[in-house]
Amino acid sequence: SRWASSTMHTVSATGSMALPAKSRLTGYVAQSAMTSDVDLLPWTINPAIAQPPLPRTSLDGDIDVTTVLLRFNSRPVRWLWLNANFRTYDLDNNTPPFQYDQKVSYDTTLANSPGESSHPYSFNRSTLELESSFTPFRNGAFKVGYVREAIDRTNRIYDTTEEDSWRLSYDWTSNAFVTVRAGLLRQERRGKGFHPEILAQYSEQPGMRHADISNRDRDVAQFVVTFLPVSALSLNVN
């Protein structure tokens, strides 16, 4: 089968306000409704296997999404930029669970699975970003940034994950023959509310973690120099 059809409707509003000290506050809010009434496919195309009954004929997909964005920008003095962003994305999955007592694996095997059901996935992601840029002299800019991302999930092995990121960088781009970009990034992600029983339910190893939500520490250093001896030639060192 091809990808299932779906429908999404969104109502949104945006507002902006000028503030003192060359500052501006911008806000955005949106409410979306996603639905899908696509027909469910049978368990298998193998005619040698009896089709387990389907609890309903269509998906009855129903998801509500609320999005909020607040952005603040300021340049109180010529050599200083300040930026702050706060975003939330709340996906509420109201699709009824798909309940079944039998299933077909790989179009070859009919297996009993009494009381099983699907697990509609929902999450709420909030992100805070703070950034400042300093240009004490003409050719270079120092940047300092911090990002915090927190995600609440349903039906995952972690209830929540929180990630903190610190950035420090320097850009020197005003020279006609050479540019320099250097940066350091430090990230720490930690999960809370671990459910090893979910791993056991799907016969996965109890020590297994999923890459998109597992605990991690990451350090990244980057240094890029670009030489422009003539307009038709550039040499890069990374």
Side-chain angles (χ1 to χ4, degrees):
S1 178
R2 300 187 179 192
W3 289 101
S5 299
S6 60
T7 301
M8 179 175 178
H9 295 96
T10 300
V11 177
S12 63
T14 304
S16 182
M17 178 185 298
L19 299 173
K22 296 181 181 180
S23 304
R24 179 168 292 275
L25 179 65
T26 304
Y28 170 84
V29 61
Q31 184 66 42
S32 303
M34 295 187 286
T35 59
S36 177
D37 291 326
V38 65
D39 291 337
L40 295 177
L41 296 175
W43 278 100
T44 180
I45 59 173
N46 188 344
I49 298 177
Q51 293 285 350
L54 296 174
R56 57 185 186 271
T57 58
S58 64
L59 173 61
D60 294 337
D62 180 14
I63 294 178
D64 294 324
V65 177
T66 303
T67 306
V68 177
L69 169 63
L70 296 175
R71 176 172 294 162
F72 175 77
N73 307 106
S74 180
R75 192 183 185 185
V77 292
R78 183 180 58 84
W79 50 269
L80 175 63
W81 289 88
L82 301 173
N83 301 303
N85 297 312
F86 178 74
R87 301 190 303 271
T88 63
Y89 186 91
D90 185 14
L91 187 146
D92 185 13
N93 193 343
N94 301 306
T95 303
F98 182 87
Q99 298 177 343
Y100 55 95
D101 295 320
Q102 290 180 307
K103 63 180 179 180
V104 178
S105 301
Y106 305 106
D107 285 321
T108 60
T109 305
L110 177 64
N112 293 323
S113 53
E116 289 289 338
S117 69
S118 63
H119 302 91
Y121 176 56
S122 299
F123 68 91
N124 181 295
R125 179 176 61 233
S126 60
T127 306
L128 173 65
E129 296 178 308
L130 303 175
E131 184 183 32
S132 60
S133 177
F134 307 89
T135 54
F137 47 88
R138 179 180 178 182
N139 292 334
F142 295 92
K143 296 181 180 179
V144 178
Y146 169 75
V147 179
R148 180 173 179 81
E149 181 185 72
I151 306 179
D152 294 328
R153 297 177 170 86
T154 60
N155 299 318
R156 292 298 301 271
I157 60 173
Y158 282 113
D159 289 335
T160 63
T161 56
E162 298 175 349
E163 184 168 34
D164 295 294
S165 303
W166 296 268
R167 295 189 179 97
L168 177 63
S169 63
Y170 174 74
D171 293 340
W172 189 53
T173 59
S174 298
N175 189 284
F177 301 102
V178 61
T179 63
V180 178
R181 296 181 182 273
L184 296 173
L185 172 65
R186 170 68 175 176
Q187 292 181 308
E188 296 179 357
R189 184 172 65 196
R190 297 292 183 268
K192 298 179 180 179
F194 178 54
H195 297 282
E197 68 275 7
I198 297 179
L199 293 171
Q201 179 181 356
Y202 291 99
S203 301
E204 295 182 352
Q205 295 293 333
M208 181 180 181
R209 301 296 181 269
H210 299 162
D212 63 321
I213 58 176
S214 61
N215 293 345
R216 75 169 181 194
D217 295 331
R218 181 162 66 176
D219 295 291
V220 180
Q222 183 183 35
F223 188 76
V224 181
V225 181
T226 303
F227 299 97
L228 303 160
V230 294
S231 60
L233 175 66
S234 66
L235 304 173
N236 299 286
V237 178
N238 300 317

PDB file of all heavy atoms in Angstrom, residues 196-209:
ATOM      1  N   PRO A 196      11.867  -0.400  32.296  1.00  0.00           N
ATOM      2  CA  PRO A 196      12.477  -1.591  31.688  1.00  0.00           C
ATOM      3  C   PRO A 196      11.451  -2.647  31.305  1.00  0.00           C
ATOM      4  O   PRO A 196      11.728  -3.482  30.445  1.00  0.00           O
ATOM      5  CB  PRO A 196      13.421  -2.098  32.787  1.00  0.00           C
ATOM      6  CG  PRO A 196      12.851  -1.549  34.065  1.00  0.00           C
ATOM      7  CD  PRO A 196      12.261  -0.226  33.705  1.00  0.00           C
ATOM      8  N   GLU A 197      10.259  -2.606  31.901  1.00  0.00           N
ATOM      9  CA  GLU A 197       9.251  -3.606  31.565  1.00  0.00           C
ATOM     10  C   GLU A 197       8.786  -3.473  30.118  1.00  0.00           C
ATOM     11  O   GLU A 197       8.325  -4.460  29.509  1.00  0.00           O
ATOM     12  CB  GLU A 197       8.055  -3.512  32.523  1.00  0.00           C
ATOM     13  CG  GLU A 197       7.205  -2.253  32.395  1.00  0.00           C
ATOM     14  CD  GLU A 197       7.757  -1.088  33.189  1.00  0.00           C
ATOM     15  OE1 GLU A 197       8.880  -1.208  33.733  1.00  0.00           O
ATOM     16  OE2 GLU A 197       7.065  -0.073  33.274  1.00  0.00           O
ATOM     17  N   ILE A 198       8.901  -2.272  29.541  1.00  0.00           N
ATOM     18  CA  ILE A 198       8.534  -2.110  28.139  1.00  0.00           C
ATOM     19  C   ILE A 198       9.526  -2.860  27.255  1.00  0.00           C
ATOM     20  O   ILE A 198       9.147  -3.513  26.268  1.00  0.00           O
ATOM     21  CB  ILE A 198       8.480  -0.619  27.765  1.00  0.00           C
ATOM     22  CG1 ILE A 198       7.386   0.078  28.569  1.00  0.00           C
ATOM     23  CG2 ILE A 198       8.239  -0.436  26.275  1.00  0.00           C
ATOM     24  CD1 ILE A 198       7.265   1.563  28.285  1.00  0.00           C
ATOM     25  N   LEU A 199      10.803  -2.808  27.603  1.00  0.00           N
ATOM     26  CA  LEU A 199      11.801  -3.570  26.858  1.00  0.00           C
ATOM     27  C   LEU A 199      11.525  -5.066  26.961  1.00  0.00           C
ATOM     28  O   LEU A 199      11.602  -5.799  25.970  1.00  0.00           O
ATOM     29  CB  LEU A 199      13.199  -3.254  27.380  1.00  0.00           C
ATOM     30  CG  LEU A 199      13.710  -1.827  27.140  1.00  0.00           C
ATOM     31  CD1 LEU A 199      15.006  -1.602  27.907  1.00  0.00           C
ATOM     32  CD2 LEU A 199      13.906  -1.564  25.666  1.00  0.00           C
ATOM     33  N   ALA A 200      11.196  -5.520  28.166  1.00  0.00           N
ATOM     34  CA  ALA A 200      10.916  -6.946  28.354  1.00  0.00           C
ATOM     35  C   ALA A 200       9.680  -7.371  27.572  1.00  0.00           C
ATOM     36  O   ALA A 200       9.621  -8.485  27.036  1.00  0.00           O
ATOM     37  CB  ALA A 200      10.738  -7.252  29.841  1.00  0.00           C
ATOM     38  N   GLN A 201       8.692  -6.488  27.488  1.00  0.00           N
ATOM     39  CA  GLN A 201       7.454  -6.821  26.773  1.00  0.00           C
ATOM     40  C   GLN A 201       7.722  -7.123  25.302  1.00  0.00           C
ATOM     41  O   GLN A 201       7.071  -7.980  24.704  1.00  0.00           O
ATOM     42  CB  GLN A 201       6.467  -5.669  26.892  1.00  0.00           C
ATOM     43  CG  GLN A 201       5.150  -5.901  26.171  1.00  0.00           C
ATOM     44  CD  GLN A 201       4.213  -4.709  26.290  1.00  0.00           C
ATOM     45  OE1 GLN A 201       4.510  -3.738  26.977  1.00  0.00           O
ATOM     46  NE2 GLN A 201       3.091  -4.787  25.621  1.00  0.00           N
ATOM     47  N   TYR A 202       8.690  -6.435  24.716  1.00  0.00           N
ATOM     48  CA  TYR A 202       9.008  -6.643  23.307  1.00  0.00           C
ATOM     49  C   TYR A 202      10.246  -7.510  23.116  1.00  0.00           C
ATOM     50  O   TYR A 202      10.865  -7.495  22.049  1.00  0.00           O
ATOM     51  CB  TYR A 202       9.201  -5.292  22.621  1.00  0.00           C
ATOM     52  CG  TYR A 202       7.915  -4.516  22.497  1.00  0.00           C
ATOM     53  CD1 TYR A 202       7.606  -3.505  23.402  1.00  0.00           C
ATOM     54  CD2 TYR A 202       6.992  -4.813  21.499  1.00  0.00           C
ATOM     55  CE1 TYR A 202       6.414  -2.804  23.313  1.00  0.00           C
ATOM     56  CE2 TYR A 202       5.800  -4.108  21.394  1.00  0.00           C
ATOM     57  CZ  TYR A 202       5.521  -3.103  22.298  1.00  0.00           C
ATOM     58  OH  TYR A 202       4.336  -2.409  22.208  1.00  0.00           O
ATOM     59  N   SER A 203      10.614  -8.237  24.164  1.00  0.00           N
ATOM     60  CA  SER A 203      11.736  -9.189  24.111  1.00  0.00           C
ATOM     61  C   SER A 203      13.037  -8.525  23.708  1.00  0.00           C
ATOM     62  O   SER A 203      13.857  -9.093  22.981  1.00  0.00           O
ATOM     63  CB  SER A 203      11.401 -10.333  23.132  1.00  0.00           C
ATOM     64  OG  SER A 203      10.232 -11.012  23.544  1.00  0.00           O
ATOM     65  N   GLU A 204      13.250  -7.292  24.177  1.00  0.00           N
ATOM     66  CA  GLU A 204      14.509  -6.606  23.949  1.00  0.00           C
ATOM     67  C   GLU A 204      15.408  -6.752  25.172  1.00  0.00           C
ATOM     68  O   GLU A 204      14.940  -7.032  26.277  1.00  0.00           O
ATOM     69  CB  GLU A 204      14.266  -5.122  23.639  1.00  0.00           C
ATOM     70  CG  GLU A 204      13.498  -4.890  22.337  1.00  0.00           C
ATOM     71  CD  GLU A 204      13.318  -3.423  22.032  1.00  0.00           C
ATOM     72  OE1 GLU A 204      13.655  -2.586  22.900  1.00  0.00           O
ATOM     73  OE2 GLU A 204      12.824  -3.096  20.937  1.00  0.00           O
ATOM     74  N   GLN A 205      16.695  -6.553  24.986  1.00  0.00           N
ATOM     75  CA  GLN A 205      17.638  -6.700  26.076  1.00  0.00           C
ATOM     76  C   GLN A 205      17.354  -5.665  27.170  1.00  0.00           C
ATOM     77  O   GLN A 205      17.094  -4.499  26.876  1.00  0.00           O
ATOM     78  CB  GLN A 205      19.062  -6.528  25.560  1.00  0.00           C
ATOM     79  CG  GLN A 205      19.508  -7.611  24.588  1.00  0.00           C
ATOM     80  CD  GLN A 205      19.627  -8.964  25.264  1.00  0.00           C
ATOM     81  OE1 GLN A 205      19.872  -9.047  26.462  1.00  0.00           O
ATOM     82  NE2 GLN A 205      19.439 -10.031  24.499  1.00  0.00           N
ATOM     83  N   PRO A 206      17.419  -6.056  28.451  1.00  0.00           N
ATOM     84  CA  PRO A 206      17.096  -5.110  29.531  1.00  0.00           C
ATOM     85  C   PRO A 206      18.062  -3.932  29.615  1.00  0.00           C
ATOM     86  O   PRO A 206      17.715  -2.887  30.149  1.00  0.00           O
ATOM     87  CB  PRO A 206      17.161  -5.976  30.793  1.00  0.00           C
ATOM     88  CG  PRO A 206      18.014  -7.152  30.418  1.00  0.00           C
ATOM     89  CD  PRO A 206      17.724  -7.407  28.972  1.00  0.00           C
ATOM     90  N   GLY A 207      19.277  -4.097  29.083  1.00  0.00           N
ATOM     91  CA  GLY A 207      20.218  -2.989  29.088  1.00  0.00           C
ATOM     92  C   GLY A 207      20.170  -2.125  27.844  1.00  0.00           C
ATOM     93  O   GLY A 207      20.965  -1.203  27.690  1.00  0.00           O
ATOM     94  N   MET A 208      19.229  -2.421  26.946  1.00  0.00           N
ATOM     95  CA  MET A 208      19.165  -1.688  25.687  1.00  0.00           C
ATOM     96  C   MET A 208      18.613  -0.286  25.912  1.00  0.00           C
ATOM     97  O   MET A 208      17.757  -0.064  26.764  1.00  0.00           O
ATOM     98  CB  MET A 208      18.261  -2.437  24.702  1.00  0.00           C
ATOM     99  CG  MET A 208      18.137  -1.785  23.346  1.00  0.00           C
ATOM    100  SD  MET A 208      17.052  -2.746  22.259  1.00  0.00           S
ATOM    101  CE  MET A 208      17.130  -1.762  20.772  1.00  0.00           C
ATOM    102  N   ARG A 209      19.122   0.685  25.134  1.00  0.00           N
ATOM    103  CA  ARG A 209      18.588   2.040  25.131  1.00  0.00           C
ATOM    104  C   ARG A 209      18.361   2.470  23.693  1.00  0.00           C
ATOM    105  O   ARG A 209      19.034   1.995  22.776  1.00  0.00           O
ATOM    106  CB  ARG A 209      19.553   3.016  25.827  1.00  0.00           C
ATOM    107  CG  ARG A 209      19.853   2.656  27.269  1.00  0.00           C
ATOM    108  CD  ARG A 209      18.613   2.736  28.147  1.00  0.00           C
ATOM    109  NE  ARG A 209      18.918   2.409  29.526  1.00  0.00           N
ATOM    110  CZ  ARG A 209      18.838   1.187  30.049  1.00  0.00           C
ATOM    111  NH1 ARG A 209      18.467   0.177  29.286  1.00  0.00           N
ATOM    112  NH2 ARG A 209      19.121   0.979  31.319  1.00  0.00           N
TER     113      ARG A 209
END
